[in-house]
Structure formats: C-alpha cells, structure tokens
Amino acid sequence: MSDSLHIVCPHCDAINRVPAAKLKAEPTCGKCQQALFTAQPLELDSARFMRHITRSQIPVLVDFWAPWCGPCRMMAPAYAQAAQRLEPAIRLVKINTEQAQDLAAQYAIRSIPTLALFKNGREVARQPGAMDVAGIVTWAQAHA
C-alpha cells in the first residue's frame, strides 16, 4: 500500500486513502463525497490544524497571518493563486494567529506573515515575510 497516501478531507476532516497516481484525478472524500482538493487555502482552527498536519501524507504549507496585518492582506491573493498551482502535491492552509494564539505560541511565530512547511507533523522549513505567487510556489516546491 505504499503507493497510497492518507489525505485529510478539507470539509469533514475524514482521513482518506488515495492512490498516489489518482491525486490529480479530482478524488472525493469517502465520507462526505466532496472534493479532497479545492484549489483554495483551507482556514483551520487549532484542533483541525493538528489533524491535517499529523494525518495527511502530503506536505502542508501554512500561512500564519492576522486580519490587521497589511502585508498579510497583500499576500492573501498570491497565496490563493499558489493553492491552484500547488495542489494536490501540497495542501495550503491559513492560521489566523489572533484566533489560534496557542498555535502562534507553540510554533514561536514572531512575525507575520510567516510561511511554514510541515511534513508528517514536523516543521521542515520556515519563511517570514510576504511573497508573491511565484515566490511562494518556488519556495514550497524547493522545500517539499
């Protein structure tokens, strides 16, 4: 079964086993029947975040941001475009540091926006500061 990957559903958080060869074939969740990839960043709270980074077997790129942050708001459209380019190889999520202060503290987020890439529940790369879509895609692919 090494050719199958566990993918957490962005809608119901069920864990799905998807053959790696079928990731690009628009797989759907076995529980809720919705698309496993939406080509949009997924906004998560603390509990859902932990499930996605620890149970998904694809890299998870996280944008730690806040609504009052000008650079965060400027980067948001680029991050959304990056989701269209990077999925299904990488899941993109957003964490509002005002609402998930526990995660901001746990991961020592000192500036926003900050991108962090997780694999198998562990942070493997971090990049503070706003980036354009090409920068996000290039950085994520280089570290995934």
Side-chain angles (χ1 to χ4, degrees), residues 12-83:
C12 72
D13 297 329
I15 300 166
N16 293 265
R17 188 175 359 192
V18 179
K22 295 193 177 193
L23 279 180
K24 294 184 179 183
E26 299 180 13
T28 57
C29 177
K31 182 177 179 185
C32 72
Q33 307 306 313
Q34 295 190 62
L36 289 178
F37 298 101
T38 62
Q40 290 292 320
L42 180 60
E43 295 194 28
L44 299 177
D45 61 18
S46 299
R48 292 185 71 207
F49 172 77
M50 295 310 292
R51 184 166 180 90
H52 280 263
I53 67 163
T54 60
R55 300 303 304 266
S56 281
Q57 290 182 311
I58 59 171
V60 177
L61 180 61
V62 182
D63 174 18
F64 289 96
W65 72 286
W68 51 262
C69 168
C72 297
R73 290 193 316 268
M74 272 184 16
M75 189 175 84
Y79 195 68
Q81 290 174 5

Side-chain angles (χ1 to χ4, degrees), residues 66-117:
W68 51 262
C69 168
C72 297
R73 290 193 316 268
M74 272 184 16
M75 189 175 84
Y79 195 68
Q81 290 174 5
Q84 296 170 1
R85 294 189 191 178
L86 292 170
E87 283 191 352
I90 301 172
R91 166 87 68 210
L92 277 72
V93 303
K94 293 178 73 71
I95 297 295
N96 181 336
T97 58
E98 292 294 300
Q99 295 176 345
Q101 293 181 11
D102 58 329
L103 291 177
Q106 179 179 348
Y107 292 102
I109 303 300
R110 302 285 181 244
S111 65
I112 52 174
T114 292
L115 295 181
L117 187 68

